[in-house]
Amino acid sequence: MGADQSQILESLTDRNYVTFMINGLKYMVDPSKDKITAGSRLVDFIRDHANLKGTKYMCREGGCGACTVTVKTRNPFTGQEIIRGINSCLVPVFACDGWEIMTVEFLGNQKEGYHPLQQRFVVCHGTQCGFCTPGWIMNFYSMMESKKQFTVADIHDRIDGNICRCTGFRPILDAVKSFAVDASEELKRKCGDSRSCESCPLRAKSPAALTSANVVEAEFEQLELPSSIHLNISSNSQWVKAVDIKTLFMALTKFQNYGLKYRIVGGNTGMGVFKNEGPYQAYVELMSIPALTKIDSLDSSIIFGGGVTITQAIETLEKASSVSGFEYCKHVCKHWKRVANISVRNAGTLAGNLMLKHDHKEFQSDIFLVLETIGAMLTIASSPSLQNMWTVEDFLNMNMQGKIIYSVHLPALKNMTFRSFKISRRYQNAHAYVNAGFLMQIDPMNMYVKMRPRIVLGGISPSFVHASMTEEYLVGKTLNPQIMQGAVQMLEREVNPNMDPMEGDSMYRKKLSQALFYKVMLEILDGQVSPRMKSGSTDLEHGPSYGKQMYGTDKSEWPMYEPVAKLEAPFQCSGEAEYTNDIGPLPGELHGAVVHARFANCMLKGVDPSAALGMAGVVAWIDHSNIPAMNNYMYSYGNDEDVIFVKDKIRFAGEVIGMILAESRELAYKAVSMVEVYYQNREKPILDIPSALEKAEKEGKLSECIVTIRKPTEDPIKDAPNNISGEFHTGGQYHFHMETQVAICVPKEGCMDVYSATQTASFTQFAVANCLGVSCSSINVYVRRLGGGFGGKISRSNHIASMCAVAANTLRRPVRLSLDLEGNMGLVGGRSPYLYKYQAGFDDTGKIMNINIELVNDCGSSQNEPTITIAEWAIQNVYAANSSWGFTTKMVRTNLPPNTYCRSPGYPKSLGFMECVMEHVAAHLKKDPMEVRMVNLLKKGDTMFPDTSQKLEEDNLVPILMQDLERFMPIKGLSTI
């Protein structure tokens, strides 16, 4: 960027800094003085500049909620105060101008006392590892501040954006439900009544401290009123905050004239979906423009400014749904509440979501789908005075350079039926396999289709929008079973989903589109449909969840066995609990970022880090050549070599090639993208068990895969009146610890301090000492607590600590290495996939007489942590076995990350397998599966398996549990499956 370009907008702007408040303290950020770039995120500013470590992060995509903070702003058009929870990992620091931000530290702490919400989390046992807890608390605090009275249903609407991996959602929900206006008396009693927490053993925050928000409010009022900003950022980029349409278009025009690639910034939530876009040389932030946040409700339409957030749109449409012509808005709200999650909807705008669809046609936008279905119109502005109306579909093919979505117009729809659907992996916080919208005008007297229907389908292919042939077919028809059948056949012909390994099977998506159309038709035909078929037209609604934990305790023995709150829970709820990455920066500290292999089963030809090393602030490149001793972080733990850095052979995509060291985390990750990696001798990777067995057989190495052989004494096929055979597959599972792998290594006098998020400190100590070639006594390992582990930090933490230690040893400076979610998932592995092949013989009652099983464990690229032995011991489940049971166990290597232990390793796979066998037997005999299970139950004195020398010495409790369940089921409306 030329020197003259730094003056691009000098005459158009009022100041060259941004200002905002965090917990009542004012921060002023000047890019000419502070090391803040356009890519700097609020979460990092909170943690590294404001030094408030209670706010955590994991995904940095707006999906986990660990980074949630409360934000207070004002609507630019109405001036109304808005309080909302947002994902601080998605918000650029420069977009926070004029904001009041509150983190978990604002609520309470050990010194000042705790907020009632924090107290309820403690008393209701709402924490375990505690890493996610601050995010949960700030999410619900935002709700409590913005909505003084709320119900249990309101609480359930707020949980879609926060993840807890270990505690379970029941105690978390109980803590918050106790504040609801319709809370049960039992919940209120857990910590005093709904108005106070005086009976709580935790020290409450004083009333004066609780009202400190009033002081913050006064200081908030003193923040400067919105004014235009122009920032010349040190990374040779421009940032403009526009507060009116004129300034916005002047900025866009000048950026285009200078040939600068620019990004329009609204809620910035799209970075969580398409995070590798750019680089950009200019940014224009427009959330302070009144015209873009205006909402008009007219008799014929509802008009939203392009900058209206999805949450604001939903709130408006909920009110409008009671107005004639806008009854359909009830269904729109239901659908849009499934867009991403509450924190994303609080920040993301209608125009921003539509632009994602515009730039990425494959994006299954629920906003686009609904707007196109109802025939909404968009006002596209190309200058302050030039605006044109376009259909939503036509907008997709427009050149939007220099243009913005000025407003969105939703029409009134009278005597029309609108329905929309979203079929996805999860109810919320997941994109759709298929989303569908239907709009039809039908004469209720004769079922005549009066106008061309609108049938919009998403998730079919990037270019598919309307089922045009089916729409045309239905025009002027009278609906009846024959016409419906013809329409379904028409859909069959024109809906041809593309092949995409990341989406559902193409045939599944085709049938799904037909099923959703059929569902709508059943509802429209209503009276003409038999009661048996009519149930297909209704949605299965899931009300607020409810759970209860009961346990007995003898009060006469208290304080022994008295239930008490966890001692560290208050510190977890206030953000005072320190995790590894919360340790403050050390003098001279460097940040590491890992370069992962993009391909599997190939050779590393070479690496060129010169472009990265040429960036200001990038210090070094570390790889296998920097390791003083052994390049193996699993030495002596297993027989396979697990390298710290790849030297030649790349086993799996995600394996570590090297590491960049820089003065900041942001810079290190930016530099990683500049490292050139060259590959050679690429071969097809082995990614599943059948492929691995086939390869071993071709190479004559199948016998090497066998671990154990136990032959059955009888042939399952010949020696039983009935027999079956089959296969049972189970996939892998990511550990999903909220805290990703992290380590800090500090060279000291004759030793090294290692701060590691590890489940086995001694193993980490040995791994670091081994790679550095020093004694274990010179390695000091510190671990205070983990943000979840579940087996993923038993050995995998050694890898991170070893990389970090090699870097610290090479440069003799402290080094911090914290993996991002993508790198964590690509490197760590998880629960092992399994394949079971079986032949079983059984009598006419379903009792298994003999069975022969082949178990195959996919260990990934190394076999250092197999779970096959545990799996074979779990095969018996709760069923009778004898010497006629046989099995063969095998282990195979694939080109996947090394799999490791994961909560109850081996057991769930084998338990599930045996239940599959019981279901198969029952299906063969056409019996109730529960009847087959009861016939096969293990009894006292029966032989144990696989060690047949042991006998069951106690009664099997399953029959007793089943009897209790049968007594309980009629009361709760349950059934056994």
Side-chain angles (χ1 to χ4, degrees):
M1 186 181 294
D4 60 326
Q5 294 182 27
S6 66
Q7 310 300 321
I8 290 175
L9 295 169
E10 187 179 69
S11 62
L12 304 179
T13 55
D14 300 309
R15 52 190 169 94
N16 60 354
Y17 61 88
V18 297
T19 181
F20 49 84
M21 298 176 67
I22 301 178
N23 297 345
L25 296 179
K26 187 175 181 179
Y27 290 85
M28 185 178 295
V29 179
D30 183 343
S32 65
K33 302 175 183 177
D34 303 301
K35 294 182 179 180
I36 303 296
T37 70
S40 299
R41 297 290 180 258
L42 175 59
V43 64
D44 299 315
F45 188 93
I46 290 171
R47 291 176 56 83
D48 301 334
H49 292 262
N51 199 33
L52 299 170
K53 304 293 188 178
T55 302
K56 306 292 191 275
Y57 63 81
M58 178 189 73
C59 69
R60 301 180 75 91
E61 297 174 358
C64 71
C67 67
T68 304
V69 297
T70 301
V71 168
K72 185 187 296 183
T73 58
R74 293 200 181 279
N75 184 300
F77 182 76
T78 65
Q80 180 183 2
E81 181 181 274
I82 300 173
I83 299 176
R84 56 199 167 119
I86 56 104
N87 298 117
S88 59
C89 70
L90 295 178
V91 180
V93 173
F94 296 143
C96 299
D97 187 57
W99 288 15
E100 162 61 20
I101 301 155
M102 286 156 281
T103 71
V104 70
E105 289 89 348
F106 175 76
L107 271 66
N109 52 54
Q110 183 181 15
K111 179 181 178 181
E112 298 176 359
Y114 297 96
H115 188 278
L117 182 58
Q118 294 169 316
Q119 292 179 309
R120 300 289 173 92
F121 264 74
V122 173
V123 173
C124 293
H125 311 290
T127 78
Q128 190 167 325
C129 84
F131 194 84
C132 69
T133 304
W136 277 103
I137 286 177
M138 295 313 296
N139 176 30
F140 288 122
Y141 176 74
S142 303
M143 178 189 68
M144 295 170 70
E145 288 297 297
S146 62
K147 194 170 186 176
K148 299 304 181 183
Q149 286 196 328
F150 50 87
T151 65
V152 169
D154 292 327
I155 293 168
H156 277 265
D157 284 342
R158 300 284 306 207
I159 66 173
D160 56 352
N162 289 74
I163 294 173
C164 176
R165 173 64 174 86
C166 49
T167 306
F169 284 57
R170 180 195 56 79
I172 293 173
L173 289 175
D174 281 354
V176 188
K177 285 178 182 178
S178 64
F179 290 98
V181 293
D182 55 349
S184 68
E185 290 301 319
E186 182 179 5
L187 280 178
K188 294 176 183 179
R189 287 194 299 269
K190 279 194 173 183
C191 190
D193 61 34
S194 61
R195 295 175 303 279
S196 72
C197 286
E198 295 175 359
S199 61
C200 181
L202 297 177
R203 190 165 67 86
K205 202 169 185 179
S206 68
L210 284 172
T211 57
S212 64
N214 295 330
V215 177
V216 173
E217 172 68 19
E219 294 174 346
F220 178 57
E221 296 289 350
Q222 296 172 16
L223 283 176
E224 299 175 45
L225 294 174
S227 58
S228 296
I229 299 173
H230 176 219
L231 306 176
N232 281 304
I233 305 170
S234 58
S235 56
N236 291 328
S237 57
Q238 310 279 315
W239 182 286
V240 171
K241 172 187 175 180
V243 296
D244 54 52
I245 293 294
K246 180 181 177 181
T247 304
L248 169 63
F249 278 104
M250 292 182 77
L252 294 181
T253 300
K254 286 185 177 289
F255 288 151
Q256 287 184 287
N257 290 342
Y258 278 93
L260 304 183
K261 184 178 181 180
Y262 68 86
R263 178 181 179 88
I264 294 179
V265 179
N268 206 53
T269 56
M271 290 298 292
V273 184
F274 303 103
K275 56 186 179 181
N276 296 319
E277 294 187 327
Y280 298 99
Q281 298 160 298
Y283 299 80
V284 186
E285 194 260 307
L286 43 63
M287 292 304 288
S288 295
I289 300 176
L292 297 182
T293 57
K294 182 180 179 182
I295 300 175
D296 282 327
S297 296
L298 309 176
D299 291 339
S300 60
S301 65
I302 298 173
I303 305 173
F304 294 113
V308 170
T309 67
I310 299 172
T311 293
Q312 290 171 326
I314 291 172
E315 291 171 351
T316 301
L317 295 178
E318 283 179 332
K319 296 175 183 177
S321 63
S322 60
V323 178
S324 176
F326 295 99
E327 294 88 351
Y328 73 91
C329 292
K330 174 183 177 182
H331 299 285
V332 175
C333 293
K334 181 179 178 181
H335 192 138
W336 283 2
K337 283 183 178 180
R338 296 184 60 188
V339 173
N341 57 64
I342 183 66
S343 297
V344 170
R345 296 194 297 271
N346 283 344
T349 65
L350 295 177
N353 188 282
L354 290 171
M355 284 304 300
L356 286 181
K357 178 66 175 178
H358 178 276
D359 296 341
H360 304 273
K361 301 297 190 294
E362 73 280 7
F363 178 56
Q364 302 98 323
S365 167
D366 296 291
I367 304 296
F368 168 85
L369 177 114
V370 168
L371 293 177
E372 175 59 19
T373 302
I374 64 176
M377 300 292 289
L378 304 180
T379 297
I380 307 298
S382 51
S383 76
S385 58
L386 183 58
Q387 300 175 2
N388 292 291
M389 297 282 283
W390 295 83
T391 68
V392 181
E393 184 177 15
D394 289 342
F395 148 79
L396 286 185
N397 299 312
M398 287 185 64
N399 179 358
M400 289 297 291
Q401 280 296 308
K403 304 181 182 71
I404 64 165
I405 300 175
Y406 186 83
S407 58
V408 181
H409 303 246
L410 281 66
L413 301 175
K414 295 188 177 181
N415 303 317
M416 304 185 77
T417 299
F418 165 77
R419 292 293 181 271
S420 65
F421 304 94
K422 179 177 183 177
I423 309 301
S424 55
R425 294 165 174 81
R426 297 173 299 279
Y427 185 77
Q428 291 169 304
N429 217 13
H431 70 258
Y433 286 126
V434 170
N435 50 4
F438 303 89
L439 182 70
M440 305 186 76
Q441 187 175 35
I442 297 176
D443 189 330
M445 301 301 294
N446 55 18
M447 293 292 114
Y448 178 77
V449 182
K450 299 172 68 174
M451 58 169 277
R452 180 178 177 132
R454 299 178 70 86
I455 302 174
V456 182
L457 298 172
I460 304 303
S461 70
S463 60
F464 192 97
V465 178
H466 279 267
S468 303
M469 293 168 57
T470 307
E471 291 175 348
E472 186 64 32
Y473 171 82
L474 288 169
V475 176
K477 298 289 196 307
T478 298
L479 294 181
N480 56 47
Q482 291 74 30
I483 295 299
M484 284 179 58
Q485 187 65 31
V488 170
Q489 292 173 355
M490 192 65 71
L491 274 175
E492 171 79 23
R493 286 197 291 270
E494 71 172 320
V495 175
N496 296 294
N498 63 327
M499 299 292 291
D500 188 338
M502 299 301 292
E503 303 301 334
D505 179 77
S506 57
M507 183 56 66
Y508 165 71
R509 287 181 281 149
K510 175 190 279 280
K511 294 299 182 184
L512 196 53
S513 64
Q514 297 170 31
L516 295 176
F517 172 77
Y518 180 70
K519 184 181 180 73
V520 172
M521 290 297 101
L522 288 178
E523 180 180 352
I524 291 174
L525 291 172
D526 193 23
Q528 301 181 28
V529 178
S530 68
R532 186 176 72 86
M533 305 296 291
K534 192 173 181 179
S535 63
S537 68
T538 57
D539 292 334
L540 298 176
E541 300 290 348
H542 187 287
S545 64
Y546 169 79
K548 186 176 182 180
Q549 183 182 36
M550 296 177 290
Y551 46 86
T553 177
D554 187 349
K555 292 187 177 182
S556 66
E557 296 184 337
W558 284 11
M560 291 288 289
Y561 315 119
E562 179 182 5
V564 296
K566 187 172 63 176
L567 294 179
E568 67 176 345
F571 309 118
Q572 294 172 334
C573 292
S574 62
E576 295 170 287
E578 185 181 69
Y579 297 81
T580 300
N581 207 25
D582 295 337
I583 296 172
L586 300 166
E589 179 180 282
L590 296 174
H591 293 260
V594 172
V595 174
H596 299 271
R598 293 182 55 217
F599 304 103
N601 200 15
C602 61
M603 299 297 291
L604 177 64
K605 182 178 181 180
V607 182
D608 180 9
S610 58
L613 293 173
M615 299 172 64
V618 175
V619 176
W621 164 257
I622 301 294
D623 62 12
H624 65 89
S625 63
N626 298 102
I627 301 174
M630 296 194 69
N631 186 13
N632 183 3
Y633 66 88
M634 293 291 283
Y635 177 71
S636 84
Y637 190 84
N639 297 321
D640 287 355
E641 181 183 58
D642 277 322
V643 299
I644 301 170
F645 296 113
V646 170
K647 182 179 180 180
D648 41 42
K649 176 67 175 179
I650 298 175
R651 301 173 300 169
F652 61 92
E655 198 163 13
V656 178
I657 292 174
M659 182 168 63
I660 284 287
L661 294 178
E663 293 178 353
S664 71
R665 184 183 187 276
E666 179 185 341
L667 180 58
Y669 273 89
K670 185 176 181 179
V672 158
S673 64
M674 305 296 290
V675 176
E676 294 288 344
V677 180
Y678 304 100
Y679 306 86
Q680 63 184 4
N681 302 333
R682 286 176 56 189
E683 298 180 25
K684 182 179 179 180
I686 304 300
L687 301 177
D688 55 42
I689 293 173
S691 299
L693 291 173
E694 181 182 355
K695 178 175 182 289
E697 187 173 12
K698 285 182 179 180
E699 295 175 351
K701 298 180 180 179
L702 193 59
S703 60
E704 297 178 14
C705 300
I706 298 174
V707 179
T708 308
I709 298 179
R710 177 193 172 93
K711 294 183 178 180
T713 57
E714 301 174 17
D715 189 320
I717 302 299
K718 296 180 180 178
D719 301 334
N722 304 285
N723 58 76
I724 55 172
S725 61
E727 293 185 1
F728 180 72
H729 300 255
T730 64
Q733 182 187 23
Y734 175 57
H735 299 91
F736 216 100
H737 34 77
M738 294 289 288
E739 174 195 45
T740 58
Q741 302 281 356
V742 58
I744 304 170
C745 292
V746 186
K748 292 289 187 70
E749 181 182 348
C751 65
M752 180 174 289
D753 289 348
V754 178
Y755 300 87
S756 173
T758 177
Q759 292 177 259
T760 50
S762 59
F763 192 9
T764 300
Q765 181 191 45
F766 183 83
V768 171
N770 184 65
C771 74
L772 297 182
V774 299
S775 65
C776 287
S777 60
S778 64
I779 305 299
N780 308 314
V781 179
Y782 302 87
V783 53
R784 178 66 182 272
R785 56 173 59 84
L786 303 182
F790 319 112
K793 296 175 180 175
I794 293 176
S795 63
R796 302 302 103 175
S797 54
N798 301 348
H799 192 181
I800 310 313
S802 296
M803 286 191 285
C804 196
V806 169
N809 180 71
T810 301
L811 298 177
R812 304 308 298 172
R813 292 174 66 175
V815 173
R816 183 185 302 254
L817 176 59
S818 174
L819 296 187
D820 61 1
L821 178 60
E822 188 175 342
N824 207 83
M825 295 184 74
L827 179 63
V828 172
R831 190 187 297 277
S832 297
Y834 269 82
L835 168 63
Y836 297 78
K837 297 182 179 181
Y838 61 93
Q839 294 177 314
F842 47 94
D843 62 24
D844 292 336
T845 69
K847 184 173 180 61
I848 294 178
M849 300 172 60
N850 42 59
I851 188 170
N852 194 22
I853 309 162
E854 179 183 345
L855 296 77
V856 189
N857 176 193
D858 177 358
C859 297
S861 60
S862 74
Q863 296 182 346
N864 288 328
E865 293 179 85
T867 58
I868 190 70
T869 304
I870 304 172
E872 73 179 48
W873 280 87
I875 286 176
Q876 185 174 17
N877 202 320
V878 293
Y879 303 112
N882 51 53
S883 59
S884 62
W885 283 37
F887 63 85
T888 300
T889 59
K890 298 177 181 178
M891 297 191 304
V892 295
R893 293 180 180 87
T894 56
N895 295 122
L896 295 172
N899 288 311
T900 181
Y901 303 122
C902 181
R903 254 189 178 173
S904 186
Y907 270 91
K909 310 285 187 173
S910 289
L911 296 179
F913 157 70
M914 189 49 65
E915 297 301 334
C916 172
V917 173
M918 294 297 163
E919 293 283 337
H920 196 169
V921 171
H924 182 87
L925 296 175
K926 296 180 172 56
K927 287 180 173 289
D928 183 343
M930 188 56 65
E931 182 182 340
V932 173
R933 287 182 169 90
M934 298 303 286
V935 167
N936 283 283
L937 282 180
L938 187 66
K939 299 180 180 63
K940 185 176 182 178
D942 283 350
T943 300
M944 300 299 291
F945 183 84
D947 184 359
T948 54
S949 65
Q950 295 185 13
K951 306 288 184 182
L952 181 65
E953 299 178 354
E954 300 174 352
D955 290 326
N956 189 338
L957 298 179
V958 172
I960 300 173
L961 294 174
M962 292 302 300
Q963 291 172 8
D964 291 342
L965 184 58
E966 288 173 0
R967 288 196 299 269
F968 186 70
M969 283 190 300
I971 302 173
K972 294 294 182 181
L974 302 176
S975 63
T976 56
I977 297 176

